[in-house]
Amino acid sequence: MADVTADRGAVGVSQGLGRAVILLGPPGAGKGTQAQRIAQRYHLPHLSTGDMFRDNIQRDTELGRKAKPLMERGELVPDEIVLGMVANRIGQADCAKGFVFDGFPRTLQQADDLERICRQYKLGCTIVLHMVVNPALLMRRLTGRRICKAGGHIYNVYERPPRREGICDVDGSELIHRPDDSEGVIGERLHAYDRQTQPLVEYYKSRELLTPVDAMAVADTVTEAIARILDGAIAHK
Ligand code: ADP
């Protein structure tokens, strides 16, 4: 992805956020794109549970074998499997300065557990960015999504096409269509979001941790809006 915004300096980069940043929103809201940009801009690790599972599937691990059939149907992987994987990752040294989560937490149980893990590692208050989108847009965004095989750079054939069809602008590798980005599976993923993840909006709102972001805007505008929120959080640390 030719990303013009990610390299610009950010306030307080050197000290890091020291907090978990969560991107909360339905599939297709742009969580992956924005998480990549924020992670780069604030020098934080980008943790995507979806990517972690896809990596395990590719390496044919036990975890990957458990997750694969569920992901193919658009269902969530059970909490205990996700939590073991996430706790392990947060315990690594690079997460001490904070991290950006995309795709986690997705259930109330996962949110409770994340809170406990953050306390354990003495991280500050979680920042939850609620990516607000019109549901009618999501199907088009997801069916049009293409992902670079080598670097995970994200494109959309309708909204943000690569310069050369099927080829990543950044590293020239092949762009793939995720198998769960087919219409039938997308319907199930959106349903799982409404049922299991939407309740997190109230959960974080009641804890005064939730900040809404207009995720219908073009990607650069969304990035700028998020950066203003995070710069504000760093300035008031
Ligand atoms: P999206 O947000 O676009 O649906 P992800 O890449 O985040 O895509 O997730 C793909 C799939 O991986 C989900 O449909 C689900 O099966 C599984 N998954 C990812 N994160 C979680 C999670 N936190 N809890 C349970 N399942 C998850």
Side-chain angles (χ1 to χ4, degrees), residues 3-231:
D3 195 335
V4 289
T5 57
D7 289 337
R8 250 180 266 157
V11 184
V13 156
S14 55
Q15 70 265 36
L17 270 175
R19 294 160 76 160
V21 178
I22 294 172
L23 292 170
L24 181 63
K31 301 186 299 290
T33 300
Q34 297 302 331
Q36 278 177 359
R37 292 173 173 207
I38 301 165
Q40 200 179 345
R41 183 165 176 148
Y42 293 89
H43 306 288
L44 296 172
H46 168 199
L47 313 186
S48 157
T49 41
D51 286 350
M52 292 180 202
F53 286 128
R54 280 184 286 276
D55 175 58
N56 274 278
I57 290 172
Q58 204 172 353
R59 290 186 291 113
D60 196 27
T61 65
E62 197 188 330
L63 194 112
R65 283 194 291 275
K66 282 185 188 151
K68 190 166 186 254
L70 296 160
M71 288 177 74
E72 281 172 351
R73 292 199 297 269
E75 293 169 26
L76 294 191
V77 177
D79 288 338
E80 60 278 11
I81 298 181
V82 185
L83 286 163
M85 183 178 78
V86 164
N88 191 24
R89 181 65 187 88
I90 295 179
Q92 290 172 19
D94 62 334
C95 288
K97 59 184 184 225
F99 42 85
V100 184
F101 252 129
D102 135 33
F104 180 89
R106 256 173 153 101
T107 64
L108 290 168
Q109 180 66 52
Q110 292 180 15
D112 276 342
D113 281 307
L114 177 63
E115 224 167 87
R116 186 179 43 74
I117 296 171
C118 286
R119 268 200 306 275
Q120 182 187 340
Y121 288 107
K122 300 197 172 22
L123 289 158
C125 261
T126 303
I127 300 173
V128 186
L129 303 165
H130 180 206
M131 309 279 285
V132 182
V133 282
N134 172 350
L137 237 193
L138 298 176
M139 189 60 83
R140 180 180 152 94
R141 279 199 175 168
L142 290 165
T143 52
R145 175 159 70 178
R146 299 291 181 273
I147 301 167
C148 137
K149 214 170 171 178
H153 302 102
I154 303 169
Y155 299 84
N156 187 287
V157 294
Y158 308 116
E159 294 174 14
R160 271 182 316 127
R163 282 194 291 272
R164 271 194 302 152
E165 197 187 321
I167 305 290
C168 178
D169 294 347
V170 181
D171 54 31
S173 75
E174 185 194 346
L175 299 182
I176 54 164
H177 191 201
R178 248 171 63 178
D180 60 343
D181 277 347
S182 61
E183 258 180 62
V185 184
I186 292 170
E188 186 47 50
R189 284 161 61 205
L190 293 173
H191 187 54
Y193 178 81
D194 286 342
R195 238 180 19 232
Q196 291 163 282
T197 310
Q198 179 67 27
L200 295 184
V201 172
E202 269 315 309
Y203 175 96
Y204 284 119
K205 204 188 265 176
S206 68
R207 286 164 173 73
E208 299 185 357
L209 297 175
L210 194 80
T211 308
V213 174
D214 173 12
M216 305 271 290
V218 293
D220 286 351
T221 307
V222 179
T223 308
E224 288 306 321
I226 292 176
R228 275 195 299 279
I229 296 165
L230 297 184
D231 287 349

